[in-house]
Amino acid sequence: MENMKLLHRSLISPWILCIGFIMGGCSTLNTAKPLAPGQHEVAFTLGGPLTKVGSNYIPLPNSVIEGRSGLVNIDERPLDLNYGLYLTPIAFGQMGVHLGGSYLLWDQQDRLPALSLSNRLYFFHNYFDTAKPVYGRGSVFVNQLEATLSYELGDFLTYGGLANYSDLSNLDLMLSPFVGAELPTGIDGFRIQLEARYFAANQYRLIESVKFYNFETGYGGFGMNMGLIWEIGQ
Protein backbone atom coordinates (compact mmCIF):
# COMPACT_ATOMS: atom_id res chain seq x y z
CA MET A 1 0.00 0.00 0.00
CA GLU A 2 2.89 2.41 0.51
CA ASN A 3 3.61 2.73 -3.20
CA MET A 4 -0.04 3.57 -3.88
CA LYS A 5 -0.07 6.20 -1.13
CA LEU A 6 2.98 7.77 -2.72
CA LEU A 7 1.23 7.73 -6.09
CA HIS A 8 -1.78 9.37 -4.48
CA ARG A 9 0.33 12.20 -3.10
CA SER A 10 2.56 12.89 -6.08
CA LEU A 11 0.99 11.73 -9.34
CA ILE A 12 -2.77 11.33 -9.35
CA SER A 13 -5.47 13.42 -7.71
CA PRO A 14 -7.60 11.82 -4.96
CA TRP A 15 -10.60 11.68 -7.31
CA ILE A 16 -8.73 9.73 -9.96
CA LEU A 17 -7.09 7.40 -7.47
CA CYS A 18 -10.53 6.57 -6.10
CA ILE A 19 -11.83 5.89 -9.57
CA GLY A 20 -8.77 4.16 -10.97
CA PHE A 21 -7.49 2.14 -8.04
CA ILE A 22 -10.10 1.40 -5.39
CA MET A 23 -13.25 1.91 -7.41
CA GLY A 24 -12.22 0.68 -10.83
CA GLY A 25 -15.54 -1.10 -11.34
CA CYS A 26 -17.71 1.29 -9.39
CA SER A 27 -20.24 2.23 -12.04
CA THR A 28 -19.76 -0.41 -14.67
CA LEU A 29 -22.30 -2.63 -16.39
CA ASN A 30 -22.83 -5.90 -14.55
CA THR A 31 -21.79 -9.18 -16.18
CA ALA A 32 -24.27 -11.44 -14.41
CA LYS A 33 -25.46 -13.04 -17.67
CA PRO A 34 -22.81 -13.11 -20.43
CA LEU A 35 -24.17 -12.34 -23.90
CA ALA A 36 -24.58 -14.99 -26.59
CA PRO A 37 -22.79 -14.62 -29.94
CA GLY A 38 -24.40 -11.88 -32.01
CA GLN A 39 -25.85 -10.06 -28.99
CA HIS A 40 -24.66 -6.58 -28.08
CA GLU A 41 -25.43 -4.00 -25.39
CA VAL A 42 -24.49 -0.36 -24.94
CA ALA A 43 -24.91 1.39 -21.61
CA PHE A 44 -24.40 4.58 -19.69
CA THR A 45 -23.70 4.03 -16.00
CA LEU A 46 -23.39 6.60 -13.23
CA GLY A 47 -22.48 6.43 -9.57
CA GLY A 48 -19.89 5.19 -7.14
CA PRO A 49 -18.94 5.14 -3.46
CA LEU A 50 -20.73 7.57 -1.16
CA THR A 51 -18.19 10.33 -0.54
CA LYS A 52 -18.43 13.10 2.03
CA VAL A 53 -18.84 16.56 0.50
CA GLY A 54 -19.39 19.23 3.14
CA SER A 55 -21.65 17.63 5.73
CA ASN A 56 -23.37 15.18 3.37
CA TYR A 57 -22.49 11.95 1.60
CA ILE A 58 -23.13 11.79 -2.14
CA PRO A 59 -22.25 9.11 -4.72
CA LEU A 60 -18.95 9.71 -6.48
CA PRO A 61 -20.14 11.05 -9.88
CA ASN A 62 -18.26 8.51 -11.95
CA SER A 63 -19.82 8.11 -15.41
CA VAL A 64 -18.97 5.44 -17.98
CA ILE A 65 -20.06 4.80 -21.54
CA GLU A 66 -19.55 1.14 -22.31
CA GLY A 67 -20.66 -1.93 -24.16
CA ARG A 68 -20.74 -5.71 -24.24
CA SER A 69 -20.58 -8.08 -27.21
CA GLY A 70 -21.17 -11.81 -27.32
CA LEU A 71 -18.20 -13.65 -28.81
CA VAL A 72 -18.51 -17.45 -28.84
CA ASN A 73 -20.06 -20.36 -27.00
CA ILE A 74 -17.68 -22.67 -25.15
CA ASP A 75 -19.28 -25.97 -24.07
CA GLU A 76 -22.63 -24.39 -25.04
CA ARG A 77 -22.12 -21.50 -22.61
CA PRO A 78 -21.43 -17.92 -23.74
CA LEU A 79 -18.23 -15.92 -23.51
CA ASP A 80 -18.53 -12.17 -24.08
CA LEU A 81 -16.34 -9.07 -24.30
CA ASN A 82 -16.90 -5.84 -22.35
CA TYR A 83 -15.26 -2.44 -22.84
CA GLY A 84 -15.73 1.11 -21.61
CA LEU A 85 -14.54 4.70 -21.49
CA TYR A 86 -14.65 6.73 -18.24
CA LEU A 87 -16.03 10.23 -18.79
CA THR A 88 -15.56 11.85 -15.37
CA PRO A 89 -11.71 11.72 -15.37
CA ILE A 90 -11.63 13.72 -18.62
CA ALA A 91 -12.74 16.81 -16.69
CA PHE A 92 -9.59 16.46 -14.56
CA GLY A 93 -7.16 15.94 -17.43
CA GLN A 94 -7.20 12.18 -16.94
CA MET A 95 -8.24 9.19 -19.00
CA GLY A 96 -9.61 5.80 -18.01
CA VAL A 97 -10.68 2.72 -19.98
CA HIS A 98 -11.46 -0.91 -19.26
CA LEU A 99 -11.47 -4.15 -21.26
CA GLY A 100 -12.53 -7.57 -20.10
CA GLY A 101 -14.60 -10.68 -20.60
CA SER A 102 -17.17 -12.81 -18.81
CA TYR A 103 -18.10 -16.48 -19.06
CA LEU A 104 -21.19 -18.36 -17.90
CA LEU A 105 -19.96 -21.27 -15.75
CA TRP A 106 -23.48 -22.68 -15.44
CA ASP A 107 -26.96 -21.46 -16.28
CA GLN A 108 -29.99 -21.10 -14.05
CA GLN A 109 -31.80 -24.38 -13.36
CA ASP A 110 -35.00 -24.52 -11.32
CA ARG A 111 -34.00 -22.95 -8.00
CA LEU A 112 -30.27 -23.04 -8.75
CA PRO A 113 -28.99 -19.57 -9.76
CA ALA A 114 -26.66 -19.01 -12.69
CA LEU A 115 -22.98 -18.38 -12.01
CA SER A 116 -20.68 -16.24 -14.16
CA LEU A 117 -17.01 -15.33 -13.83
CA SER A 118 -15.58 -12.10 -15.24
CA ASN A 119 -12.19 -10.44 -15.43
CA ARG A 120 -11.49 -6.80 -16.33
CA LEU A 121 -8.37 -4.73 -16.72
CA TYR A 122 -8.57 -0.99 -16.03
CA PHE A 123 -6.04 1.59 -17.17
CA PHE A 124 -6.04 5.17 -15.81
CA HIS A 125 -3.45 7.86 -16.46
CA ASN A 126 -2.89 11.62 -16.33
CA TYR A 127 -0.36 11.96 -19.14
CA PHE A 128 -2.63 14.48 -20.89
CA ASP A 129 -2.71 16.77 -17.84
CA THR A 130 -0.43 19.56 -19.09
CA ALA A 131 -0.96 21.47 -15.85
CA LYS A 132 1.36 18.97 -14.19
CA PRO A 133 5.08 18.64 -14.95
CA VAL A 134 6.19 15.48 -16.72
CA TYR A 135 7.52 13.96 -13.49
CA GLY A 136 4.09 14.56 -11.92
CA ARG A 137 2.26 12.28 -14.34
CA GLY A 138 1.66 8.57 -14.03
CA SER A 139 -0.65 5.63 -14.58
CA VAL A 140 -2.51 2.94 -12.69
CA PHE A 141 -3.41 -0.59 -13.87
CA VAL A 142 -6.17 -2.32 -11.92
CA ASN A 143 -7.48 -5.85 -12.34
CA GLN A 144 -11.01 -6.87 -11.32
CA LEU A 145 -11.95 -10.51 -10.82
CA GLU A 146 -15.62 -11.09 -10.10
CA ALA A 147 -17.97 -14.02 -9.47
CA THR A 148 -21.70 -13.36 -9.84
CA LEU A 149 -24.77 -15.42 -8.95
CA SER A 150 -27.96 -14.40 -10.75
CA TYR A 151 -31.59 -15.43 -10.96
CA GLU A 152 -34.20 -14.38 -13.48
CA LEU A 153 -37.80 -13.91 -12.35
CA GLY A 154 -39.79 -13.20 -15.47
CA ASP A 155 -38.40 -9.94 -16.89
CA PHE A 156 -36.47 -9.17 -13.69
CA LEU A 157 -32.85 -10.17 -13.15
CA THR A 158 -31.46 -10.17 -9.63
CA TYR A 159 -27.80 -10.81 -8.90
CA GLY A 160 -25.12 -10.70 -6.24
CA GLY A 161 -21.53 -11.69 -5.80
CA LEU A 162 -18.00 -10.85 -4.78
CA ALA A 163 -15.33 -8.87 -6.62
CA ASN A 164 -11.67 -8.33 -5.94
CA TYR A 165 -9.68 -5.32 -7.21
CA SER A 166 -5.90 -5.43 -7.41
CA ASP A 167 -3.39 -2.78 -8.39
CA LEU A 168 -1.04 -4.78 -10.60
CA SER A 169 1.96 -3.36 -8.74
CA ASN A 170 0.48 -4.29 -5.36
CA LEU A 171 -1.70 -7.41 -5.18
CA ASP A 172 -3.43 -6.73 -1.86
CA LEU A 173 -6.98 -8.08 -1.63
CA MET A 174 -9.75 -5.50 -2.12
CA LEU A 175 -12.84 -7.63 -1.51
CA SER A 176 -16.09 -5.98 -2.61
CA PRO A 177 -19.47 -7.73 -2.19
CA PHE A 178 -22.40 -6.45 -4.25
CA VAL A 179 -26.09 -6.96 -5.01
CA GLY A 180 -28.16 -5.56 -7.85
CA ALA A 181 -31.04 -5.93 -10.27
CA GLU A 182 -31.91 -5.26 -13.89
CA LEU A 183 -35.44 -3.94 -14.30
CA PRO A 184 -37.63 -3.79 -17.42
CA THR A 185 -38.92 -0.39 -18.48
CA GLY A 186 -41.75 -1.36 -20.79
CA ILE A 187 -39.65 -0.22 -23.75
CA ASP A 188 -38.42 -3.11 -25.88
CA GLY A 189 -34.66 -3.60 -25.49
CA PHE A 190 -34.24 -0.94 -22.78
CA ARG A 191 -33.53 -1.82 -19.13
CA ILE A 192 -32.32 -0.12 -15.95
CA GLN A 193 -29.62 -1.47 -13.65
CA LEU A 194 -29.56 -0.64 -9.94
CA GLU A 195 -26.64 -1.84 -7.81
CA ALA A 196 -25.17 -1.47 -4.32
CA ARG A 197 -21.53 -2.40 -3.70
CA TYR A 198 -19.30 -2.33 -0.61
CA PHE A 199 -15.86 -1.48 -2.01
CA ALA A 200 -12.69 -2.78 -0.35
CA ALA A 201 -14.66 -4.10 2.61
CA ASN A 202 -11.53 -5.67 4.11
CA GLN A 203 -9.33 -2.54 3.93
CA TYR A 204 -9.17 -0.10 6.87
CA ARG A 205 -8.92 3.64 6.08
CA LEU A 206 -7.55 3.00 2.65
CA ILE A 207 -7.33 6.68 1.67
CA GLU A 208 -7.07 9.19 4.51
CA SER A 209 -7.84 12.30 2.45
CA VAL A 210 -11.21 11.05 1.12
CA LYS A 211 -14.06 10.24 3.50
CA PHE A 212 -16.23 7.30 2.36
CA TYR A 213 -19.47 6.20 3.97
CA ASN A 214 -18.71 2.90 5.71
CA PHE A 215 -21.32 2.60 8.49
CA GLU A 216 -18.77 3.97 10.97
CA THR A 217 -16.65 0.83 10.69
CA GLY A 218 -13.64 2.51 9.09
CA TYR A 219 -13.47 -0.25 6.48
CA GLY A 220 -13.97 0.34 2.76
CA GLY A 221 -16.78 2.40 1.32
CA PHE A 222 -20.42 1.79 0.43
CA GLY A 223 -21.61 2.88 -3.00
CA MET A 224 -24.50 2.77 -5.44
CA ASN A 225 -24.89 3.09 -9.18
CA MET A 226 -27.53 3.20 -11.88
CA GLY A 227 -27.18 2.07 -15.47
CA LEU A 228 -29.23 2.63 -18.62
CA ILE A 229 -28.90 -0.38 -20.93
CA TRP A 230 -29.86 -0.74 -24.59
CA GLU A 231 -29.88 -4.14 -26.31
CA ILE A 232 -28.60 -4.34 -29.89
CA GLY A 233 -28.68 -7.35 -32.17
CA GLN A 234 -30.45 -10.62 -31.49
Side-chain angles (χ1 to χ4, degrees):
M1 293 306 298
E2 288 301 318
N3 64 325
M4 289 308 300
K5 290 179 181 179
L6 178 60
L7 185 63
H8 166 251
R9 290 194 298 267
S10 61
L11 295 182
I12 298 179
S13 70
W15 283 86
I16 302 311
L17 183 63
C18 293
I19 296 170
F21 176 46
I22 311 173
M23 313 302 178
C26 59
S27 61
T28 51
L29 186 60
N30 84 80
T31 57
K33 295 301 290 287
L35 300 181
Q39 291 184 316
H40 304 274
E41 290 180 348
V42 294
F44 175 77
T45 48
L46 177 67
L50 298 180
T51 309
K52 192 168 187 178
V53 178
S55 58
N56 298 312
Y57 286 92
I58 63 172
L60 189 70
N62 186 25
S63 57
V64 189
I65 184 167
E66 58 187 310
R68 293 201 297 158
S69 299
L71 295 179
V72 296
N73 284 331
I74 301 175
D75 291 334
E76 300 182 351
R77 295 185 297 275
L79 171 71
D80 71 10
L81 179 73
N82 55 81
Y83 38 88
L85 171 67
Y86 289 73
L87 303 179
T88 303
I90 296 173
F92 299 90
Q94 324 288 334
M95 183 177 180
V97 295
H98 76 251
L99 179 68
S102 57
Y103 179 64
L104 185 66
L105 293 178
W106 67 70
D107 208 348
Q108 176 179 324
Q109 297 180 12
D110 298 325
R111 297 183 180 181
L112 179 68
L115 175 64
S116 66
L117 185 67
S118 66
N119 192 74
R120 281 184 178 139
L121 181 65
Y122 299 83
F123 175 61
F124 289 82
H125 71 82
N126 64 345
Y127 294 122
F128 298 152
D129 188 356
T130 57
K132 285 186 173 64
V134 174
Y135 61 80
R137 304 173 197 175
S139 61
V140 176
F141 284 92
V142 179
N143 188 74
Q144 175 191 358
L145 183 64
E146 186 167 284
T148 306
L149 291 169
S150 64
Y151 200 88
E152 290 180 290
L153 297 170
D155 293 330
F156 294 84
L157 173 69
T158 60
Y159 64 90
L162 182 67
N164 182 62
Y165 302 94
S166 299
D167 167 27
L168 295 187
S169 65
N170 185 341
L171 298 179
D172 281 355
L173 291 176
M174 298 276 185
L175 299 177
S176 304
F178 58 90
V179 294
E182 280 189 11
L183 312 175
T185 63
I187 301 174
D188 189 35
F190 177 59
R191 305 188 312 282
I192 294 177
Q193 170 186 303
L194 299 175
E195 184 179 291
R197 187 171 293 238
Y198 201 109
F199 300 96
N202 62 313
Q203 292 289 337
Y204 186 70
R205 293 186 177 177
L206 192 57
I207 294 182
E208 297 288 347
S209 60
V210 181
K211 177 68 172 177
F212 299 118
Y213 183 71
N214 52 32
F215 306 98
E216 304 300 326
T217 65
Y219 286 87
F222 176 76
M224 298 179 293
N225 73 62
M226 180 180 72
L228 306 177
I229 306 168
W230 292 268
E231 296 178 1
I232 303 173
Q234 300 178 17

